[in-house]
Amino acid sequence: MDWQQLLDHIERFDVHLFTLGGTEITVSSAFKLVAFTLLLVWASRRVRDWTVNRALHRTHLDLGTREAVGSIMRYAVLVVGAMLILQNAGINLSAFSVLAGAVGVGVGFGLQNIISNFVSGLIIMLERPIKIGDRVEVGGIEGVVHEIGPRRTTVVTNDRLAILVPNQRFILDNVVNQVYTEQPIRLRIAVQVASGTDTQVMHDLLVDAANSHPDVLKQPAPEALVTMLGGPATAYELAVWHEARGPRRQQLASDLSYQVAQRLKAHDIKPA
């Protein structure tokens, strides 16, 4: 039995269900709406996959940009397809004006966050302040962007925990994107020792600790800075440069702190 025979068979036992937009909805018409809707969802996914993996695959665009364009194409297909399905079913779209007004009131009272996150997701996809694979920090959460969805962005932390961050956080909050400029970034390590410690010895000790780590760049060269002089302690700051997509900053800070502690112990210098 083909589709047409199945539809004809259903129409024989057609039953009126309700009226929508001035159009009577029967069992057969409801079946068609469901079938076309499922077909639309399938087609929108195929359009997205084709855009990402076929149409834009040979371009210079990176994966994040291709994913963003593919998502926008999918939303466009869903919106246009839904309107065509409703019109083909004979449903007058103008009849939804009252419903649209009610939804507008609902948005004002409870759905504004959902709409805000959706719009923020579109802004992220178009302006691309963050991309898939970027290491970011927002609201105390640091990790790698794994997925950018229409409502939330998935950030995977160093502990491999997937945190779903609402998109509007990336628009309203201060966001640290370590790889935005694709240039080396600087890490600062604070060190305090007892007052009276030879500053030249401390300078050489800190620079030597930095140069011993393979992930620390030689150019720009590491710097040992005095940040506080006088009182019971002298404060130093070890400033090093590393590749933005290189080591995790937390791990690099730990390694450098360990190297500094070993050299302080070797020179019989006690941290303050």
Side-chain angles (χ1 to χ4, degrees):
M1 179 182 295
D2 57 18
W3 280 101
Q4 187 59 46
Q5 292 177 340
L6 179 60
L7 293 176
D8 293 340
H9 182 72
I10 294 177
E11 289 180 354
R12 296 176 184 175
F13 304 95
D14 223 358
V15 177
H16 175 266
L17 298 176
F18 54 88
T19 301
L20 180 63
T23 301
E24 292 186 357
I25 302 299
T26 61
V27 173
S28 61
S29 60
F31 177 81
K32 292 179 182 178
L33 285 174
V34 172
F36 285 134
T37 300
L38 294 177
L39 180 62
L40 175 62
V41 172
W42 175 83
S44 66
R45 291 179 178 175
R46 291 301 300 262
V47 168
R48 176 190 175 279
D49 293 341
W50 179 83
T51 302
V52 174
N53 301 323
R54 298 287 296 277
L56 301 178
H57 182 69
R58 298 182 181 274
T59 65
H60 66 282
L61 300 177
D62 56 32
L63 178 60
T65 304
R66 300 201 306 269
E67 291 280 355
V69 175
S71 296
I72 294 174
M73 290 293 295
R74 182 189 179 191
Y75 300 149
V77 170
L78 286 174
V79 172
V80 174
M83 296 179 62
L84 292 177
I85 289 175
L86 293 176
Q87 290 182 348
N88 184 67
I91 299 175
N92 185 9
L93 297 181
S94 62
F96 290 95
S97 58
V98 176
L99 179 61
V103 171
V105 174
V107 168
F109 285 100
L111 300 180
Q112 64 269 30
N113 287 334
I114 297 177
I115 302 300
S116 176
N117 286 319
F118 181 79
V119 174
S120 298
L122 294 179
I123 294 175
I124 292 174
M125 292 178 182
L126 293 174
E127 293 187 355
R128 303 182 70 242
I130 60 172
K131 305 181 295 296
I132 294 177
D134 286 358
R135 177 170 289 276
V136 301
E137 182 178 354
V138 55
I141 299 171
E142 181 180 353
V144 177
V145 177
H146 180 73
E147 179 187 8
I148 301 176
R151 190 190 63 82
R152 86 291 180 272
T153 295
T154 304
V155 177
V156 179
T157 67
N158 295 335
D159 298 326
R160 295 185 180 178
L161 297 176
I163 300 180
L164 308 182
V165 183
N167 284 332
Q168 63 178 345
R169 296 286 297 275
F170 292 95
I171 303 300
L172 302 178
D173 294 356
N174 293 329
V175 180
V176 177
N177 189 341
Q178 297 181 15
V179 298
Y180 185 78
T181 61
E182 296 292 347
Q183 295 180 351
I185 55 179
R186 186 156 62 176
L187 173 67
R188 300 173 182 267
I189 306 296
V191 180
Q192 285 191 350
V193 296
S195 181
T197 304
D198 191 304
T199 55
Q200 186 61 48
V201 171
M202 282 298 302
H203 176 277
D204 296 342
L205 183 151
L206 293 175
V207 172
D208 180 65
N211 287 327
S212 67
H213 199 289
D215 290 326
V216 173
L217 299 179
K218 301 301 184 289
Q219 291 295 331
E223 296 178 293
L225 308 173
V226 179
T227 58
M228 186 180 68
L229 187 63
T234 301
Y236 295 84
E237 186 176 73
L238 175 59
V240 301
W241 294 86
H242 67 91
E243 295 292 346
R245 295 188 181 274
R248 297 198 305 268
R249 290 171 64 83
Q250 185 180 17
Q251 184 62 50
L252 179 58
S254 175
D255 293 344
L256 292 175
S257 298
Y258 177 81
Q259 293 293 334
V260 170
Q262 291 296 310
R263 283 162 174 77
L264 291 178
K265 182 179 180 180
H267 287 77
D268 198 24
I269 300 174
K270 295 183 178 180

